[in-house]
Each structure stands twice: as structure tokens, then as C-alpha cells.
Amino acid sequence: MSKVPRIPNLGGARAFVLHRPHPTVQAITRQLSAIGLETIGCWPELPAEALAADFVFFDADLGFDEQFPWTPGEAPMPLVALIGSEAPGRIEWALSHKADAQLLKPVGNAGVYSALLIARQSFEARKHLASEIASLRQRVAERQTIVRAVEALSKGAEDGRAYAQLRSLAMSWQISVEEAARRIVAMTEEAGDDQSHRA
């Protein structure tokens, strides 16, 4: 049975609304204030202090990449796209920024709270997945380093014996097998460089 996520208390959070002056901004600001968020409106771009925001709402209709102080798709907080036009190019652009939730314009008297919760949940899930992928990539890289270290130690002998030697070195150096493998590979590369310089 999957764990049901707890609904967070959003009071005191800061939300930037990147949208030209418009009734949409007023409707969002009213709802955010009622929930307990501080709202900062801005246009045509996000100020540097937006990097510390808890949420950013942005206009998907008139938005452009240079409005954001980060690379598309790498926002450090949950994003909510404000969509009025369903033109494929605009939707595609909003997706390129990895919007975590959306609100359709015109924004009425409801919808902001659920958009905040969905955006937060989606953002956290995406961050968790990115962290897992980075960890798996690191483990694959470490395994390749271990293989290279075992090859360097084996010198034609049995791989099992070379791996046991690698583990023994790691214990005597009081470091992990992965760190020992990195050292062995580095020493092997240095020795190879020395020989090529002599030649």
C-alpha cells in the first residue's frame, strides 16, 4: 500500500508571479494571500531574489527563456504555468521548462491551492528521481573503475585474486573499495604517462 503524501502547510511561503499586470495576477494574488503566501508580482523577467522563492507562476502565453535566471527545465522550485492559449508551440515551451502544474486563464476564485500542492508534489518527485538517476550513474562509473583496477592488478592472473587484492588494499588503506580502485587506476595512469615520457 503506497503512503499518502501529507498536505504541507504553505503559510509563509513566497510565490513570484511572472505575468504582465492583468486581472489574472490579481486573482492569483487574492488566492495566495488567503492561503497565507507572500506574493511578488514581476514582469518582464524574474529578479535574482526569485531564486529563493518557494513557487513561481509564469505566463506560458507571452513567456520566453530569458525571463528566467536558470536553464530551461532546471528551476530550483516548483513552477506553475498560466495557460491561456492552447497553441502547441506555447504548450511545448511550457513543457520545456518542466512546469509542475498549470492553471488555465482566466483564473477565477479557485484552483491556486490545488495547483500549489500538485506543483510541490511533482517537483519533489522529479528531484527524487533525478537524485536516484545521478546515484545510479555514479555507481555504474564506480563499477567501471573497479573493473579497470582489477585489470591493472591482475596482469594476466586470475580476476578473483586481483579483486581480493583490491579489497585487501582498501582495508589496509582504510578506505572504500571504490576509492581504492580510483587510486589504483590513477597510479596505473601515472605509470603509463611516465613510460610514454621516457619513450
Side-chain angles (χ1 to χ4, degrees), residues 88-148:
R90 291 283 77 200
I91 303 291
E92 191 175 312
W93 180 80
L95 289 172
S96 77
H97 279 272
K98 294 194 173 25
D100 299 294
Q102 67 173 31
L103 266 176
L104 294 178
K105 297 191 285 186
V107 176
N109 294 321
V112 167
Y113 184 64
S114 59
L116 289 171
L117 296 181
I118 290 166
R120 167 81 55 91
Q121 180 72 21
S122 177
F123 177 76
E124 293 299 329
R126 194 159 39 85
K127 261 182 33 184
H128 179 72
L129 186 60
S131 172
E132 278 188 357
I133 289 169
S135 173
L136 288 171
R137 283 186 176 145
Q138 177 65 30
R139 285 171 58 193
V140 166
E142 286 175 351
R143 285 201 175 135
Q144 290 169 343
T145 303
I146 289 171
V147 168
R148 288 175 60 200

Side-chain angles (χ1 to χ4, degrees), residues 135 138-150 163 166-167 169-171 173-186:
S135 173
Q138 177 65 30
R139 285 171 58 193
V140 166
E142 286 175 351
R143 285 201 175 135
Q144 290 169 343
T145 303
I146 289 171
V147 168
R148 288 175 60 200
V150 167
Y163 183 70
L166 176 62
R167 284 182 36 215
L169 284 169
M171 286 194 300
W173 292 338
Q174 296 182 344
I175 58 176
S176 69
V177 171
E178 292 81 7
E179 180 59 32
R182 283 192 287 275
R183 283 189 189 178
I184 297 294
V185 168

